[in-house]
Amino acid sequence: MMVAQFLSSFTILVTLLALHRAIAFSNIQTGPSDTFDQFEIDHSFDTISKSKEIFSRRDAIKRVTGMALGLPAVLASKPAYAAAKIYEIRMGTEENPEELAFEPDSIKIRRGDSIRWTNNPGMTRHNVVFRQEDVPKGVDAELLSMNPSEKLSKSNASFERQFDKKGEYTYKCIFHCSVMIGHITVV
């Protein structure tokens, strides 16, 4: 039933396309070897078309078939997080780069988004470490973390990770773990 409806709609679309093109080119006198190389105004649709080829119904049918069959394939091939974003978390606040804080300290992102932690200018050094009990089941906390002995020691140095699994994540700076704690919710 749905196939019959699709074919019926497809036939109507092809017929309308052919009719539109026939109307658009009805004032042009071309033969098989002539080409159309001037602007032609299609008053019924208020469009301007320019072509170097003679219109053929066969070409129109090929194009429409390609669009009709190709569109579902393109839509199906997009990943769930095609529009992934990168969010910035500063280590130290804008007002006081020496402050021992992640800014923001809590963030909600979508699956597939990334977070970039950036060391604000100042003398304090930081890192980002996740513990296994503070990430969703199946996520390797060690792969998300910086090496615990590493630290971002230069101003504007950064560390970035992508989050592909939904859940709650808690991280900290090992050097300032009693005060520098951050939270990520992946939806």
Side-chain angles (χ1 to χ4, degrees):
M1 180 72 174
M2 289 191 63
V3 172
Q5 287 175 338
F6 173 77
L7 290 177
S8 175
S9 298
F10 182 75
T11 304
I12 291 169
L13 181 63
V14 170
T15 304
L16 287 173
L17 180 63
L19 181 62
H20 169 68
R21 296 295 285 197
I23 291 169
F25 291 105
S26 63
N27 298 339
I28 303 168
Q29 305 204 349
T30 60
S33 61
D34 297 329
T35 60
F36 172 61
D37 109 26
Q38 61 184 0
F39 285 103
E40 177 65 27
I41 299 178
D42 176 2
H43 297 289
S44 63
F45 293 101
D46 294 324
T47 60
I48 298 175
S49 49
K50 183 176 181 178
S51 173
K52 295 286 186 190
E53 299 176 7
I54 297 175
F55 169 74
S56 81
R57 205 169 10 164
R58 184 171 288 151
D59 288 337
I61 291 170
K62 284 181 191 175
R63 287 187 185 113
V64 171
T65 303
M67 287 188 292
L69 297 177
L71 186 59
V74 168
L75 292 176
S77 67
K78 282 188 174 180
Y81 40 85
K85 295 181 182 179
I86 299 174
Y87 293 89
E88 192 82 24
I89 294 179
R90 290 174 301 284
M91 300 168 153
T93 63
E94 282 294 312
E95 298 81 32
N96 181 4
E98 293 293 320
E99 188 174 340
L100 302 177
F102 290 108
E103 188 179 71
D105 63 354
S106 184
I107 190 167
K108 184 185 275 190
I109 64 174
R110 294 188 179 277
R111 192 169 56 104
D113 288 345
S114 295
I115 294 191
R116 180 182 302 133
W117 289 268
T118 303
N119 201 21
N120 269 341
M123 299 300 291
T124 309
R125 309 300 181 238
H126 305 290
N127 68 3
V128 176
V129 178
F130 293 84
R131 293 183 326 171
Q132 196 59 51
E133 58 269 16
D134 294 332
V135 298
K137 248 185 180 153
V139 174
D140 187 345
E142 196 173 317
L143 291 177
L144 282 178
S145 301
M146 292 177 68
N147 182 326
S149 62
E150 267 186 272
K151 55 187 163 205
L152 296 176
S153 56
K154 294 183 179 175
S155 293
N156 297 317
S158 64
F159 171 75
E160 186 174 312
R161 284 293 182 261
Q162 183 176 25
F163 294 82
D164 294 324
K165 186 161 183 161
K166 292 180 180 182
E168 304 291 323
Y169 298 75
T170 300
Y171 60 93
K172 52 182 75 179
C173 171
I174 288 293
F175 307 109
H176 311 108
C177 61
S178 61
V179 291
M180 251 182 117
I181 300 170
H183 187 76
I184 303 165
T185 303
V186 180
V187 295

